[in-house]
Amino acid sequence: MIKRTCLLFFLLICLVGEAFSQSYFNEFGRRIVKTEYEDKILNGPYFGVPGDQEGDMKLVHRMPSGLTDARLFYQKLGREADFAAGRPLIVVYYPGKDECNSTGLANDPKNLANDHKAILRYAEKHNASAPVYIYNNPHGLEKYKEIMTWIPDPEEVFKSNFFQYPYPCRSFVVISPKGNYRAILGEFPTSQIDVALKKL
């Protein structure tokens, strides 16, 4: 009798644990096992972000691309003339201070100035609009003060469309007037902006 009670108790705990266990999903919304989820984060271009249900986790591809309503983003930034002229947008997005953007090269003013100069060269090379630097939370931007100007995300339009989660360091998106876009979520080599502009 005691053995049967212990067995039933064990099965009950297993069933309750199963009901409250975490679920994992790939970037297409299909359920995957935890080991596959972890492997894709460790070995692929993915981040793990909260899923649709509390406790669930899903994968997000770090290099999204696709089509969007480009005019909206040009208008929100006051860049209608660039839209009319066919110049792509370059937007660098700062989520707020985090461990990644407050240490090492990401915190060195000389390196930040060199990155800005490189982005200006890429803009000229691809006949793009001057780069726009936007933030979700300004905490930690003091180090950029004399290098470039950051503005708040207008009506959080970039956050809601491209940067829903606080990806580490900073992210970017380039958008053509035709609506093609390419982005990298989280830390990126500045040269990837050049690559993304070439692929628009």
Side-chain angles (χ1 to χ4, degrees):
M1 184 69 176
I2 293 176
K3 284 184 179 179
R4 180 178 283 185
T5 304
C6 288
L7 181 60
L8 287 173
F9 183 72
F10 176 76
L11 287 173
L12 180 62
I13 287 176
C14 288
L15 289 172
V16 169
E18 186 68 29
F20 291 103
S21 67
Q22 198 164 32
S23 295
Y24 300 90
F25 299 88
N26 67 13
E27 68 274 29
F28 306 111
R30 290 194 289 268
R31 189 182 296 262
I32 57 176
V33 296
K34 183 178 181 180
T35 52
E36 183 182 352
Y37 172 84
E38 291 173 343
D39 181 64
K40 285 199 166 212
I41 290 173
L42 290 172
N43 299 307
Y46 294 96
F47 278 127
V49 299
D52 297 331
Q53 301 292 321
E54 187 175 340
D56 289 352
M57 297 297 290
K58 66 180 179 181
L59 295 170
V60 173
H61 198 278
R62 287 196 59 211
M63 294 178 278
S65 61
L67 281 171
T68 189
D69 176 10
R71 184 183 296 269
L72 167 71
F73 301 102
Y74 283 82
Q75 287 175 339
K76 294 292 183 186
L77 295 172
R79 299 286 177 100
E80 290 92 341
D82 288 323
F83 180 82
R87 288 192 281 273
L89 276 179
I90 303 170
V91 176
V92 178
Y93 184 84
Y94 179 85
K97 188 173 182 177
D98 62 29
E99 187 176 335
C100 178
N101 61 35
S102 57
T103 58
L105 293 176
N107 201 38
D108 176 15
K110 184 177 179 183
N111 191 58
L112 299 173
N114 288 338
D115 281 354
H116 177 58
K117 288 175 189 170
I119 295 170
L120 290 172
R121 285 195 308 273
Y122 302 146
E124 185 176 351
K125 174 181 174 183
H126 297 283
N127 192 31
S129 178
V132 182
Y133 296 90
I134 63 175
Y135 63 82
N136 181 51
N137 182 325
H139 184 56
L141 285 177
E142 304 79 22
K143 60 184 171 273
Y144 294 101
K145 191 166 56 173
E146 296 181 17
I147 301 169
M148 76 275 285
T149 301
W150 292 80
I151 62 170
D153 185 357
E155 299 176 30
E156 295 193 340
V157 69
F158 286 92
K159 179 180 179 180
S160 61
N161 284 276
F162 303 107
F163 312 115
Q164 292 93 346
Y165 300 94
Y167 306 107
C169 266
R170 58 188 181 141
S171 303
F172 81 82
V173 63
V174 294
I175 307 170
S176 81
K178 293 179 181 178
N180 297 358
Y181 74 86
R182 301 188 77 84
I184 291 187
L185 310 177
E187 185 177 12
F188 61 89
T190 304
S191 61
Q192 285 300 307
I193 292 177
D194 184 34
V195 173
L197 286 165
K198 282 179 192 171
K199 292 182 176 180
L200 278 183

